[in-house]
Structure formats: C-alpha cells, structure tokens
Amino acid sequence: MRNPTLAAGLFAASMTATAFGTSAAQADDTPVLTVYTYDSFVSSWGPGPGITEAFEAICDCELNLVGAGDGAALLARLQLEGTRTEADVVLGLDTNLTARALETGLFAPHGIEADLDLPIAWDDPNFLPFDWGWFAFVHDRTRTPAPPANFRELIDSDLSVVIQDPRSSTPGLGLLMWVKAAYGDEAAEIWEGLAPRILTVTAGWSEAYGLFLDGEADLVLSYTTSPAYHLIAEDDDSKAAAPFEEGHYMQIEVAGIVAETDQPELARQFMAFMLTEDFQSVIPTTNWMYPAVTPQDGLPEGFETLHRPETSLLFSADEAAALRDTALDEWRDALAR
Amino acid sequence: MRSRVELPWRRRLPAPAWALAAAVVLLLLALNFGALGAVFWRAEPGAAVFRPADWAALRFTLVQAALSALISVVLAIPVARALARRRFAGRRALVVLLGAPFILPTLVAVAGILAVFGRNGLVNQALAWAELPGFSIYGLQGVLLAHVFFNLPLATRLILQGWSRVPAEHLRLAASLGFGPAAMWRHIEGPMLRQVVPGALAVVFLICLTSFAVALTLGGGPRATTLELAIYQAFRFDFDLGRAALLALVQAALGIAALLALASFTLPAMAMTGLDRTAPPPPGGLARWVDVASITLVALFLLVPLGMVVLRGAPHLASLPAPVWAATLQSLKVAGLSVVLLALFTGALAMAALWSRWGQMLEGVGMSALLASPMVIGTGLFIIAFPLINPARLALPVTALVNAAMALPFALRAILPALRRAEADHARLSTSLGLGLGAHLRLVLWPRLRRPAGFALGLGAALSMGDLGVIVLFAQTGGETLPMQLHRLMGAYRTQDAAGAALLLLALSLAAFVVLERLIGGKEPHHAGT
C-alpha cells in the first residue's frame, strides 16, 4: 500500500532484475517498457509480479518495474532525471501530486477514453487512474467498540491517534486535504483540537500502521479498505474503518506517460492494459485498494463488508496544489505548539 | 605523533601506500563535497532561504543531539568502569550483546523499545498493574531514550578502550600508594576520561545530528522536526534542491562546530607505556555494588527490548517467505563488499595518518562521513551517476561504498589509538633491529592491531547488514536488501513476517559482528578491555 519508505529509493529497483533485464533485451532486441512506481507496488507482496506476468504475456516486450520510494519520491526522482529519464510510464502518483507533475512538463497526454468505476467523474487528459480508496481512521472493534463519528467527536474523545507526516507520506498529505475539504477555514481550529489526540506522527504509513497493530494507538490513519486485508488474509474481522459524517477524502492513484518515452506505442498499450481485467483483478488483494474498473466477477469476497462513505471528498489537482502550503502551515502550527 | 621533528625511528610511507591513501582521501572528499556540490549545481538558480520553521528544526536538532550525547556518555562511564575492572562468567558475551543496539536497524530497535516503553509496553503494563500513572514515551524523552539506547553501547565501548589503555603498572602503583577513589579519579581516571570523553561525545552527537525517523516517530509530531527531516522535505515535498543543500551545509557546520569545541577540551592522548601485566584486584565494598548495579541496569535497559524482538520474531522465523531469504543473500553481499572497502580505507588512512605530517587532517577526512547528510549524499551521488550509468547497476557498489564510508569514523577511532600506542612503544626497538616496513607491520603492529581491527570490521559488517540503521537512508538504495524487504513486508500489512525478518536481521548483524571479530581479532584477548 502507500509506501512506507523513509528514504527516496534512488538506486532502488531490483538490481538483479535490471541486470538480467538489460542483457536479455540486448540479446534478442525485445523492447523494454520501463515503469517507475512506488516500492510497495513492485514488492513481492504487491501487484507487481502478477501484473508483469500478465502484461508480458500479451505485449511481446519486457516490463521493467522500477520501485522508487513512495509517490512523492517517485516524482522527485523523475524531476532529478529530467528529460533523460529511462521511464516510459510513471505509475503511482495521486491527485495531490498531479498538478506538480504536470508542471514539470515531463508528461504527455494518454489519449485513452476510459469507462471508470469511480465515485467521481474523471476527465484528466494526462493522468489515468488505476486504483482508488477512501482515507479513514481504522480501529480495532474489540478495543474501541464505539469509534467517533466525525472529527469533532474525535477531538472530544480520549482516544489516541497515530497519523503520518504530510511532508513525507501521501496518506499524511491526504489527511491534510481531508480536514481542509471538510472544514475549510476552520481547518486550523480542527487541527488545534486534534493535537492532544495525536499520539505521534510517523514518516510513513507502515510505521503508523505498525504502531496501531501493536496497541500503541486506538486509531490509525489508513484506508477504508485496510480491514479487508485482515479479513481476507488473516481471517480476522476485528478491524474496521470509522465512518465519518463529514465524508471521506479520496486517494486516486494514477499513471501517466512520460513525454520523452522511446516506446510511445508500448506505453499506450500499457495504459490501456492497466484498465483491463488482468490488471484490475490483481489490485484489490495486493494493493488493498478499489480497482479503477470493477472486474467482471465483482470485488473479492469480504470487500462487501467495508464501509462505503456516502460523501466522497476530493479537491481537483489544481485546488490541492494551491491549498497545499497553507494547509501544511496550519497543520504544523497546531501540532508544533 | 603531533611532533614535527624528524625522528630517526619514524618511518616513511612507501609510494604505493601513499597513492592508496591519497585515492581514499579523494574518494571520501568526492563523496561528501562532490555530492553536496552536485546538489547545488543541479538546483534551480535563485536564493535558497532559511525559513522560520528551519530555526525551530535547528534548535531541536541541537538540543536532542547534545542531550543524547551527554546522557549516553555520562551513563557509559560507570558501565565502562565496571566492565573494565570486573571479571565474571559471560562477561565477553555480555560485552558483545551490549553492542547490539548500535548495530541494529532503526525499525527493529524502535519496535523493541516500544515493546518495553510504549503505551502498551511492559513498563506501562507493570505500572497499570501496580495502579500507578502511566508513562508516555512520545516526546523529547522518547527521542532521548531511543538515542541513548542506540548510543550508550558505542559510548561504553569507546570509554572502555580508554580504560583498557591505562597500563596495569599505573593501577598497581596506585594500589601500592593506597589511592582512595578520589585520588584514583584525580590521577588516573580523570585524565584518561579527558582523553576519551570529548571524542565519545562528538561521535554520539554527530550520529544523532542526522537522525530523523526515530526523532519524528518518538518525538510525537512536527515539534520533533530535525534538520535532516527538513532536508528530506525540501527534496521530496518541495523539490527545492538549493534549500536541501543549504540545510545540509548548516547541518555540517553544526557538526564541525561541535567537533572543534570538543577538540579544544580534549587532552592529547599521551603514550602510556606498560608491560600489559595483570591489573591489581578491583576495589570491593561500595565500589563493587556500584559496579554490579551499573552492569545489571544497563543490561536490563539494553537487553530486554532485544529480548522482545526475539520473542516476537521467533514464531515466524521458520515460515519466512522466499524473497526474504533472497534479500538476505543480497545483504550478505553488500556487507561483504563493504567490509573489504572498509579494511582498505582504514588501513590506508591509519598508516598515512601515523607516518605523515598530515596525520590530523587525514583523520579528519576519515571522520567526515559523519558530518554529511545521508539524504544529500544519496541525491548527489545519483545526480553524478545518472548521466553516466544506469543507477540501478550501481546499487551494490554504491551501497557498500557509502556503508564503508559511514563505518570508517568508528573504525579509525578503534584502530588509530592502538596503532599510535604500538608505534610509540615499539618503533624505536623495531628500527634499531633494522626491521623493514613489511616485517614491522607483520611482527610488530599487526599483533597489536588484530583486536581493534576485528572490532572495527565486525562493526562495519554489522552496520552494513542493517544499512547503518541509525542514520536512516541508504537502506533503500541496495537491490532488495534485508532491511528493505523488512520495510516492504510492513508496507504490505505483513507484520508477523516482518517480526520474523526483524529477528533474522538482528541475528545476522550480531553474527556478522561476532564472526569477523573472532576471525580477525583472534580468540583470546591479549589484553583486557574492548
């Protein structure tokens, strides 16, 4: 899921994969499509292995997935490399990052007409969603039987929450946007109220989730889909997402084609493949997010138990970019007191 | 060694050794300044500014690093003294185990600390059972607790070295003169500590200077923002390379200032000659009880969290998924290469420092890796390498190189004092016997360097295995190394496998340390101490 890494995985990418990959490619001229993505996507437990196999079966090419930290690190890496980048496709940015990504001038329109199953309309010509989810505070039903129903109840409770730092983590930034979307000008006041409830702030998602599982905190900022992992993989139904009356902010994860790609055809083929059954059916139980196009057989058993918010909150990419610095200052001022 | 007078027994470094030392120095300078320069060069033109929030980060960095260093070293003094003068069954094993927190990857250590001191940890469970108010680790106290956990072992080792350099003859003389504790302190322990304590303070301060994940997680929020986190933000969140480089400069300046300030307090290490006879029996009575308490308390503080890591990981060790084992192999490769480089660097620099006029300067270069921001080194190297070669192909050598550079300061601290002492004690005799350089190295120096060399390389291997856990960063740069895979397991919700992998990492780091220390250092210590 959202990448936990503390550091930009600059030299990341499985060395062996790359080494063998290039030599094999040189040997028989198979075209190579290089996709930069976040670490947890390429991990052995993420969607990477399944998707590589499925795409290579149809593309007569080699798919080289390169893990480069998390969503923000991914963009920073692309900016560092500039137009000389090896990447043909970048997969794993979210709508809080796409405005900045577009500003770099490194992306080209995808040119794909897509029929998506998202709670909102999607018409971005440059980036195409591959999965999405709602942020939520996850709790353990046995420890916290009556979770708060909104931010103000959370403020008035005596529960402890662990969240991620918006400066280093995409869910952390998502929460900033969530509060801003739900409370607008009152966001600063909400953060001041939340400050005593916040046990600590971690650099990445996995540290926060780990603290929650160890019983350090009552609630953790994660996704409405997180309980599905425990239910499906561990047969444990004790975890649940607390429904918030304000609605839940969305994370829409997208991919884009790099303008300088030397494989434009393959890149477009990959983007189209991204919305097919073979790719989308891997997502729910490896990335633990909702697929952008619901597979024919529907979602895996267990997903029907998840909370589906009635109100979905989301800023457009431009709004999110414009609000980012103010929201960060409000957050820091409130929590740094 | 500070004297510039040409002494007849002072050897000259042969040309190949000079060339090697020069190459190492250039490489280290390129690593530090080259990386920083590359980041500046790649930055957008325009003035990078120091924001108000950066002053807060500067203040917090300074406070936490200074307090961490002070507490670690003050606590290390009684522990080192107790370990230096007491002999008991299992002492050697205890000394090795007490070193474990320092070589532990951050993630593993924090998990262990929280299992004991966290909201749901042993301490709070005990307090709740006794109906006492709970204790919160989140805040400055948590940052300090974690940093002391990491660095107390290192400080203890460094000070223990000082104690073991006190010749037994001095102790015998003190005993026969009937020195009480105060006289011992004034004439023997005090001056010795003034030689080693400032150095220990400096090392711990520098390590804590670049801490950020521990500081953030246990610090309880953005008030615990360190400069390294601000650098990280400048790079990742704002993609403002100029600011990242500026902050890295400020951070390095802080480190240099601390080094200079502490150096001015330090007494020069005087050669204290002795024949390494057995020391007189240690004092009994109250001193004995103080020693027992020191050792017991520090063992509890350091070993219980480690025990929790073992306890949580053991049930999942056998069922670890295959990619974890593949990553283990990768980690072994990185550590292996890193140790070879470390041996080369340390050997070249130590000899050059001993036999050249620029000894102090060379030592300074060797220590410089501790001043650099890991984030900036990583980014800078990437900027340099990217136009030339696919960076993924450099993952193994670059990770090994940076690991070696980061372990070098500790290796030099271990080797140089021993080398200087051996040279001071035996150089004249060796020269008068007409021993050539090769024979001098083999017959005179190596037997006296084996132990510190074993310690240094064992430490290097272990640090590389956990990718120098304390200074978070290069963990990500390898192919899939074990710490990286551990992180990915956590990122994929697999906390139980992650607990197993954490135990594996702990065991491997310790094993790497013990094996190398034994292999190189030899089985029996010829002299008590480190």
Side-chain angles (χ1 to χ4, degrees):
Chain A
M1 297 246 38
R2 225 51 335 85
N3 192 283
T5 51
L6 300 169
L10 289 176
F11 292 86
S14 153
M15 285 190 321
T16 44
T18 318
F20 289 134
T22 9
S23 56
Q26 278 155 0
D28 58 9
D29 276 341
T30 312
V32 178
L33 184 75
T34 302
V35 177
Y36 282 10
T37 182
Y38 47 79
D39 268 348
S40 53
F41 196 90
V42 298
S43 101
S44 313
W45 307 278
I51 279 161
T52 306
E53 196 186 329
F55 188 59
E56 287 183 348
I58 57 161
C59 72
D60 196 22
C61 75
E62 191 189 324
L63 179 61
N64 180 22
L65 285 179
V66 177
D70 76 347
L74 190 57
L75 185 56
R77 162 128 180 211
L78 196 70
Q79 284 176 283
L80 260 191
E81 298 187 352
T83 52
R84 302 172 67 162
T85 182
E86 293 278 312
D88 302 302
V89 170
V90 172
L91 180 147
L93 305 175
D94 72 8
T95 50
N96 292 328
L97 291 167
T98 48
R100 213 178 96 202
L102 197 60
E103 234 173 66
T104 63
L106 293 169
F107 288 90
H110 53 71
I112 290 173
E113 290 284 323
D115 191 13
L116 303 168
D117 297 310
L118 294 180
I120 51 129
W122 186 265
D123 53 6
D124 189 323
N126 296 291
F127 298 100
L128 205 55
F130 63 93
D131 70 13
W132 60 278
W134 284 288
F135 292 116
F137 290 101
V138 171
H139 64 107
D140 187 314
R141 273 197 273 251
T142 54
R143 281 190 282 141
T144 315
N150 56 52
F151 279 102
R152 293 199 191 277
E153 273 190 38
L154 174 55
I155 289 171
D156 294 335
S157 73
D158 58 356
L159 297 170
S160 63
V161 190
V162 51
I163 64 171
Q164 299 83 6
D165 194 320
R167 295 168 294 179
S168 57
S169 144
T170 52
L173 186 55
L175 178 61
L176 229 55
M177 294 297 156
W178 186 2
V179 172
K180 203 76 194 156
Y183 287 95
D185 293 342
E186 291 173 273
E189 185 197 317
I190 293 291
W191 279 114
E192 271 164 38
L194 283 174
R197 304 271 62 80
I198 293 171
L199 180 74
T200 192
V201 178
T202 64
W205 174 87
S206 63
E207 293 96 326
Y209 208 79
L211 286 181
F212 162 70
L213 289 181
D214 286 344
E216 286 293 303
D218 303 312
L219 298 170
V220 61
L221 176 69
S222 190
Y223 298 86
T224 58
T225 40
S226 299
Y229 171 80
H230 301 283
L231 188 66
I232 295 171
E234 294 177 339
D235 208 15
D236 165 14
D237 65 356
S238 66
K239 308 291 183 290
F244 266 33
E245 293 156 354
E246 296 92 335
H248 290 243
Y249 197 79
M250 294 177 67
Q251 182 171 45
I252 300 181
E253 296 199 292
V254 302
I257 297 177
V258 178
E260 301 290 325
T261 174
D262 54 356
Q263 300 285 353
E265 283 309 311
L266 261 184
R268 255 192 299 280
Q269 192 188 347
F270 181 79
M271 295 288 278
F273 164 76
M274 203 173 76
L275 299 178
T276 62
E277 186 82 12
D278 283 344
F279 185 111
Q280 292 291 314
S281 61
V282 176
I283 293 295
T285 54
T286 53
N287 226 24
W288 302 99
M289 297 283 271
Y290 286 109
V293 178
T294 310
Q296 274 170 2
D297 299 339
L299 294 167
E301 197 185 325
F303 270 67
E304 75 285 352
T305 63
L306 302 175
H307 169 61
R308 292 188 72 105
E310 284 167 22
T311 314
S312 296
L313 305 173
L314 184 70
F315 287 120
S316 73
D318 291 337
E319 287 169 326
L323 285 169
R324 196 186 75 145
D325 289 343
T326 335
L328 182 69
D329 286 345
E330 286 169 359
W331 174 84
R332 188 169 36 208
D333 289 347
L335 265 61
R337 274 173 311 138
Chain B
M1 272 97 297
R2 296 191 164 204
S3 120
R4 301 258 166 108
V5 185
E6 283 304 317
L7 302 170
W9 55 85
R10 191 155 159 165
R11 290 171 188 272
R12 292 184 177 281
L13 206 56
W18 251 123
L20 182 62
V24 170
V25 167
L26 284 179
L27 188 68
L28 289 172
L29 289 177
L31 204 61
N32 288 297
F33 298 100
L36 186 60
V39 173
F40 261 125
W41 168 75
R42 182 69 176 70
E44 302 282 324
V49 285
F50 208 69
R51 299 179 187 161
D54 297 335
W55 287 109
L58 178 65
R59 205 166 44 239
F60 180 76
T61 307
L62 203 59
V63 167
Q64 63 84 5
L67 285 177
S68 299
L70 197 65
I71 299 172
S72 300
V73 171
V74 166
L75 292 181
I77 292 173
V79 178
R81 177 165 64 182
L83 284 171
R85 65 189 184 188
R86 303 289 162 189
R87 292 292 173 275
F88 50 92
R91 175 183 173 278
R92 222 179 124 63
L94 184 68
V95 171
V96 169
L97 268 180
L98 290 185
F102 183 67
I103 57 183
L104 217 54
T106 324
L107 267 176
V108 178
V110 170
I113 290 173
L114 285 175
V116 177
F117 299 101
R119 206 171 77 116
N120 200 23
L122 297 179
V123 170
N124 271 320
Q125 283 175 10
L127 288 175
W129 179 79
E131 292 179 8
L132 288 167
F135 150 86
S136 171
I137 189 174
Y138 301 96
L140 182 62
Q141 68 277 19
V143 180
L144 297 180
L145 189 100
H147 283 163
V148 171
F149 178 78
F150 285 126
N151 295 306
L152 178 58
L154 179 71
T156 305
R157 277 272 179 156
L158 291 172
I159 295 171
L160 193 54
Q161 270 176 14
W163 240 290
S164 66
R165 283 205 300 275
V166 174
E169 284 80 355
H170 290 206
L171 299 177
R172 298 177 84 87
L173 186 61
S176 62
L177 289 174
F179 276 14
M184 273 296 279
W185 181 262
R186 195 163 61 246
H187 296 293
I188 293 183
E189 294 174 331
M192 182 278 293
L193 287 175
R194 270 195 69 188
Q195 289 174 20
V196 294
V197 161
L201 279 172
V203 169
V204 178
F205 180 86
L206 292 181
I207 291 172
C208 297
L209 197 59
T210 49
S211 164
F212 96 83
V214 171
L216 184 68
T217 304
L218 295 178
R223 18 177 208 289
T225 296
T226 56
L227 281 173
E228 186 71 14
L229 178 61
I231 293 171
Y232 190 75
Q233 177 190 356
F235 175 64
R236 290 266 316 273
F237 193 75
D238 303 321
F239 197 68
D240 186 342
L241 295 178
R243 227 174 90 71
L246 175 73
L247 291 168
L249 264 184
V250 172
Q251 185 171 288
L254 215 57
I256 291 171
L259 273 181
L260 291 178
L262 288 166
S264 66
F265 284 110
T266 312
L267 278 184
M270 282 179 298
M272 294 188 285
T273 319
L275 294 172
D276 300 345
R277 294 212 187 104
T278 39
L286 181 66
R288 185 185 162 83
W289 288 111
V290 170
D291 287 353
V292 169
S294 301
I295 293 176
T296 312
L297 284 177
V298 81
L300 281 177
F301 173 57
L302 298 178
L303 298 184
V304 174
L306 293 182
M308 293 302 283
V309 171
V310 175
L311 214 61
R312 289 183 174 198
H316 311 291
L317 197 56
S319 59
L320 279 178
V324 172
W325 298 108
T328 304
L329 192 66
Q330 186 70 10
S331 279
L332 288 173
K333 276 194 223 165
V334 171
L337 184 57
S338 172
V339 164
V340 172
L341 290 175
L342 179 63
L344 207 64
F345 292 179
T346 313
L349 277 187
M351 275 199 292
L354 184 64
W355 289 319
S356 87
R357 279 186 285 153
W358 299 300
Q360 295 283 317
M361 205 190 74
L362 288 170
E363 194 182 346
V365 172
M367 303 294 286
S368 66
L370 273 183
L371 292 171
S373 150
M375 185 75 204
V376 167
I377 287 202
T379 311
L381 284 179
F382 186 86
I383 292 171
I384 297 168
F386 176 72
L388 306 172
I389 184 172
N390 178 357
R393 293 187 157 210
L394 289 180
L396 181 80
V398 164
T399 310
L401 172 68
V402 172
N403 285 345
M406 299 225 160
L408 185 58
F410 309 115
L412 284 176
R413 287 246 154 222
I415 299 264
L416 266 177
L419 187 62
R420 289 192 168 130
R421 184 178 166 200
E423 189 69 3
D425 287 356
H426 305 287
R428 273 164 281 191
L429 180 62
S430 169
T431 310
S432 69
L433 289 174
L435 289 186
L437 182 66
H440 180 61
L441 285 177
R442 195 175 70 249
L443 300 174
V444 179
L445 296 184
W446 179 241
R448 288 162 182 85
L449 286 183
R450 281 187 73 160
R451 301 240 325 121
F455 168 71
L457 295 183
L459 187 68
L463 286 176
S464 182
M465 196 75 77
D467 275 355
L468 205 63
V470 185
I471 302 169
V472 189
L473 189 94
F474 271 77
Q476 313 308 317
T477 62
E480 288 160 334
T481 58
L482 192 51
M484 209 167 155
Q485 222 45 312
L486 170 59
H487 223 145
R488 288 188 173 177
L489 281 167
M490 286 183 67
Y493 289 92
R494 288 163 203 265
T495 35
Q496 296 190 333
D497 285 339
L503 172 56
L504 180 63
L505 193 50
L506 169 64
L508 275 178
S509 298
L510 261 184
F513 179 77
V514 172
V515 165
L516 275 181
E517 195 185 32
R518 282 285 159 97
L519 221 58
I520 296 168
K523 221 173 168 186
E524 280 305 311
H526 87 282
H527 182 66
T530 52

